Amino acid sequence: LKLEIINKKTFHEWIYPSLISILFFLFNMIWVSFNYFYFPKKPHTLNQYLEDFSILSHTNKVLGFTSLQLLAFVYFAYVVASIYQLAYGTKYKRFPKCLDFWLKSRKQFGLWAFFFATFHAIATIYVVNPLYLKGWFRSMSNSASTGIMTINGELNLLTGIVAYLLLVIVALTSINSIGNSLNFSEWRFVQSELGLSALAVAVVHDILMYIRIWNERNEMNYD
């Protein structure tokens, strides 16, 4: 009877991971609004807030943060499970329900991370220009930017591309036909080594962005 009920459900394993992923997105939407537009500029009116606001650029930041956090969320489950097993000195003790759900939902969270990363990559194609990302391009004067990217901008773009390509390979192994064609050693290499490599490169991508923002805010405060 349970098997019949499960077969009648539509994506029943995706409901809670999808809700949690959307909550990550909404949290980042609010956090980015305050951290990038409200706190640095401290606007007194809505018009002042919207003066330099861009929906596409704003959403692009949110997509990048959400993808990185969800990918870290996937691999952090390994860490929590390992600590739990070490604390009890055995790998045979049953995990708590929340941790068991977390471990079983890693595929869904990983694919949501890939979805947001893909959206982020597409949006970046449109915003990588001097009008949207002035800090990524060399300035000829205080009001103009050339089409030549700075070292930080080039490294930002390069690390983002590498992280996304690695994530594509990891996501492809989630397809049953591809995953079943790999032996356990190959599947583990892709899911663990390449997945963690994608996360590490994505973290570097994020750090480079913060370095640029930090320098821009210091210059503003200096002026």
Side-chain angles (χ1 to χ4, degrees), residues 92-110:
Y92 299 106
K93 184 177 176 60
R94 190 176 182 86
F95 290 130
K97 288 184 178 181
C98 58
L99 181 55
D100 186 60
F101 161 78
W102 188 2
L103 291 168
K104 290 179 179 178
S105 302
R106 286 173 295 171
K107 176 181 177 179
Q108 287 81 4
F109 286 120

Side-chain angles (χ1 to χ4, degrees), residues 86-137:
L86 289 172
Y88 286 94
T90 177
K91 64 178 181 179
Y92 299 106
K93 184 177 176 60
R94 190 176 182 86
F95 290 130
K97 288 184 178 181
C98 58
L99 181 55
D100 186 60
F101 161 78
W102 188 2
L103 291 168
K104 290 179 179 178
S105 302
R106 286 173 295 171
K107 176 181 177 179
Q108 287 81 4
F109 286 120
L111 289 175
W112 268 110
F114 178 67
F115 168 79
F116 286 118
T118 301
F119 202 163
H120 176 61
I122 295 172
T124 300
I125 295 174
Y126 290 94
V127 301
V128 176
N129 60 70
L131 295 177
Y132 279 98
L133 297 174
K134 297 178 182 179
W136 282 28
F137 296 86

Side-chain angles (χ1 to χ4, degrees), residues 45 52 91 113 192 204:
T45 63
D52 295 324
K91 64 178 181 179
S192 297
V204 174

Side-chain angles (χ1 to χ4, degrees), residues 142-163:
N142 293 332
S143 59
S145 298
T146 66
I148 302 174
M149 297 185 73
T150 63
I151 296 296
N152 181 277
E154 291 178 345
L155 290 175
N156 231 307
L157 198 58
L158 180 63
T159 52
I161 292 172
V162 172

Side-chain angles (χ1 to χ4, degrees), residues 176-193:
N176 291 334
S177 59
I178 296 177
N180 293 335
S181 67
L182 305 175
N183 60 40
F184 179 75
S185 178
E186 294 168 341
W187 183 87
R188 182 179 177 82
F189 172 78
V190 174
Q191 290 291 325
S192 297
E193 277 72 10

Side-chain angles (χ1 to χ4, degrees), residues 1-200:
L1 180 62
K2 289 183 178 180
L3 291 176
E4 291 180 359
I5 294 174
I6 289 174
N7 288 330
K8 291 180 180 179
K9 292 182 178 179
T10 304
F11 298 111
H12 66 281
E13 295 179 347
W14 284 81
I15 297 175
Y16 292 110
S18 298
L19 289 175
I20 294 172
S21 299
I22 293 172
L23 287 176
F24 269 99
F25 179 80
L26 293 176
F27 171 81
N28 286 318
M29 182 72 75
I30 297 171
W31 180 80
V32 168
S33 298
F34 280 96
N35 190 54
Y36 284 86
F37 296 97
Y38 184 79
F39 290 124
K41 301 174 183 179
K42 296 180 175 59
H44 297 289
T45 63
L46 181 61
N47 289 334
Q48 290 178 352
Y49 179 85
L50 297 174
E51 185 176 347
D52 295 324
F53 182 82
S54 166
I55 295 177
L56 184 60
S57 181
H58 173 81
T59 305
N60 195 36
K61 290 185 178 68
V62 176
L63 292 168
F65 286 134
T66 305
S67 176
L68 178 60
Q69 291 166 2
L70 286 175
L71 188 59
F73 193 63
V74 170
Y75 289 100
F76 189 62
Y78 287 106
V79 178
V80 176
S82 298
I83 293 174
Y84 184 87
Q85 289 177 337
L86 289 172
Y88 286 94
T90 177
K91 64 178 181 179
Y92 299 106
K93 184 177 176 60
R94 190 176 182 86
F95 290 130
K97 288 184 178 181
C98 58
L99 181 55
D100 186 60
F101 161 78
W102 188 2
L103 291 168
K104 290 179 179 178
S105 302
R106 286 173 295 171
K107 176 181 177 179
Q108 287 81 4
F109 286 120
L111 289 175
W112 268 110
F114 178 67
F115 168 79
F116 286 118
T118 301
F119 202 163
H120 176 61
I122 295 172
T124 300
I125 295 174
Y126 290 94
V127 301
V128 176
N129 60 70
L131 295 177
Y132 279 98
L133 297 174
K134 297 178 182 179
W136 282 28
F137 296 86
R138 298 176 186 175
S139 299
M140 295 181 61
S141 63
N142 293 332
S143 59
S145 298
T146 66
I148 302 174
M149 297 185 73
T150 63
I151 296 296
N152 181 277
E154 291 178 345
L155 290 175
N156 231 307
L157 198 58
L158 180 63
T159 52
I161 292 172
V162 172
Y164 180 71
L165 291 178
L166 290 173
L167 193 57
V168 168
I169 299 174
V170 177
L172 285 175
T173 59
S174 297
I175 301 174
N176 291 334
S177 59
I178 296 177
N180 293 335
S181 67
L182 305 175
N183 60 40
F184 179 75
S185 178
E186 294 168 341
W187 183 87
R188 182 179 177 82
F189 172 78
V190 174
Q191 290 291 325
S192 297
E193 277 72 10
L194 291 186
L196 287 172
S197 297
L199 177 59

